[in-house]
Structure formats: structure tokens, C-alpha cells
Amino acid sequence: MRKNLTITGLFFIILIVLGELLLPPVVETALEGRLSQKFSTPDVSVELTASPRLALLLGHTDTLAVTVKDGQVGQLRVREMSLYGRRADLDMSSFFKGRLALEDAEALSLTAMFDENGLREALARKISKADNVEVHITDENVLVTADTNLLGRRAQVALVGHIVADDGTLYFDTEQFDIQNSPFGTARLGDTLGRIPLVKPEQLPLAMRVISVTQQEGSVLVRAGEE
């Protein structure tokens, strides 16, 4: 009887030791795979801490740190994005079904940076029948130029605006919209295009909200947090 108890005890000790040593890398690798699919990029790294480490089996973490490079978020391809949270709880039922969801987290914060190429790709999909789309970002504004076909004539489109956050959503806010060489000459349409949504809260983890935007030469820095 005592021998059986000893063997059983050793078996559980081995399981605990293996779980402490192997579980975090296994979960991190699995999360990286899920996030690679979610953000359409192979360049994802995940770091988890938990005490005890076996708590990861239930989805509980002490800290969660994720870095994504060249990933797709909403309409934007971001050059780099970092997500950090304390006491983040993973929805393990969704996780084992191949999906990724966070149930809860403390101090959840996200920082993302996208450049002119990322914004150009997003706006090219939004501007109907536009070719040769070019984007130039400064700390003062964003200039977008493109060619388009109007009634069989090649015209040039120019947009001037800003990247803004409003009610948790990231927008390109059009302030000036000009069309040159159109069949009707030069048309100055002001802000008729309005705001073009780029990233919505539901496209961020735990429906985080964009809270600040910083434009600089050639890129935009975006910060998001919890509601």
C-alpha cells in the first residue's frame, strides 16, 4: 500500500515539475500561433508569467506581454504593436477551439505604430477607383494624393487631414478634398469625405479603445486602453 502511495506521489510530483518547466513555453507557442492568424503575420512573440505556473492551465496569468510586427489591425497594417496586461485571464474554452479571447485583465495597455505604407494601403481600399495612391505624414497633417478616372478623363485627387481618435475609434479625418484636371476643372470639396474609420474598438483586445494619437514625420503612434 505504502509503495503504491509512493509511486502515485512521485507521479504527481513529476507532473507538477514538468508542468512548471514545460507549460509556459507550450502556452506561449500556442498563443503565438493564434495571434499570427488573428493579425496575419508570423512575427509574434508572447511572454507569460504565472505563479504557480500550473495556473496557466486555467488561463490565469500574472503578466501578459505580446509584441506583433507587420500585423493587420482593422484596416491598418501596423509596423509594430505591443500589448501588456496584469492578471490577464484567457478564455480557455475558446482557446482550445482555436480562438483567442481575453476574459479580463488589469492595467491593459496597447501601443501601435504604423507608417505611410500602412496608411496608404488602408486608404487605397477606401478611395473608389484610385490609382497611384501616395501618403505623406508630418506632425501637422497627412497628405494623400491619387489618380482616378472621371468620365474617361484622368484626374488627380488630393486629400489633407489628420489621424484622430474619437469615441474609441481611430479615423482619418478629411479636412480638404480637391480634384484637379476633372471634366469640370478643379473641384474643391472641403470635408465632404468626412471621417474614414481605420480601427474600431471591437477590433482590439477586450474591446479596448483608442485614447491618444501622435503624428510624427513618416509615422503615427497610437495608444489604446480599457474603457
Side-chain angles (χ1 to χ4, degrees), residues 144-146 155-160 174-181 185-193:
V144 183
T145 60
Q156 288 72 50
V157 174
L159 307 176
V160 178
T174 306
E175 298 172 354
Q176 182 178 330
F177 176 26
D178 296 341
I179 302 177
Q180 296 181 343
N181 198 35
T186 297
R188 301 191 183 280
L189 305 177
D191 60 357
T192 55
L193 280 185

Side-chain angles (χ1 to χ4, degrees), residues 119-171:
L119 183 58
R120 178 185 58 78
E121 291 178 7
L123 294 178
R125 292 190 292 269
K126 294 290 186 178
I127 303 174
S128 179
K129 299 179 181 179
D131 299 319
N132 304 321
V133 178
E134 297 292 339
V135 171
H136 181 53
I137 300 172
T138 71
D139 54 357
E140 295 182 353
N141 57 41
V142 178
L143 172 64
V144 183
T145 60
D147 296 332
T148 190
N149 194 331
L150 291 178
L151 300 177
R153 186 166 183 171
R154 201 69 170 167
Q156 288 72 50
V157 174
L159 307 176
V160 178
H162 290 84
I163 305 299
V164 299
D166 186 21
D167 199 23
T169 297
L170 186 71
Y171 296 95

